[in-house]
Amino acid sequence: MIVSVLYPNHDGAKFDASYYKATHAELARDIWSPEKIELIEGQAPGGGTPPFALIANFHFASPEAMGQAMASPRMGELQADVPNFTDITPQIMVGRAL
């Protein structure tokens, strides 16, 4: 199972990718214990603003492992860290690789 956290860009959006990589993703690793974390920083072909500042994919071994991660009593800690790197409201998608 994969939990994808998407940060859609908007005019004037604040997003600190360095903070996300060094601090927030590591906090998520500590709280959720995913098998793998994949970070994709948005790039716009030919310049301009990319549609997403960042997409973070958190890979879990099973739906049960994902459920345990999402039920962590430390979820509030992870959510409280979001304003430290962005003013974007993230979108969440749960899925599986095909």
Side-chain angles (χ1 to χ4, degrees), residues 1-82:
M1 295 299 297
I2 302 169
V3 174
S4 297
V5 184
L6 301 89
Y7 294 89
N9 241 334
H10 59 77
D11 287 338
K14 170 192 136 193
F15 194 90
D16 184 341
S18 296
Y19 181 94
Y20 192 98
K21 181 179 178 184
T23 304
H24 191 75
E26 291 307 311
L27 181 60
R29 183 186 314 277
D30 184 46
I31 293 171
W32 288 348
S33 300
E35 288 189 316
K36 175 183 169 185
I37 298 175
E38 177 182 43
L39 303 179
I40 305 165
E41 188 173 17
Q43 302 289 310
T49 303
F52 294 93
L54 186 124
I55 299 173
N57 295 316
F58 298 90
H59 297 252
F60 295 93
S62 66
E64 294 77 21
M66 182 194 70
Q68 286 180 329
M70 297 302 118
S72 170
R74 294 182 62 198
M75 281 294 287
E77 184 181 342
L78 193 59
Q79 293 166 333
D81 188 50
V82 172

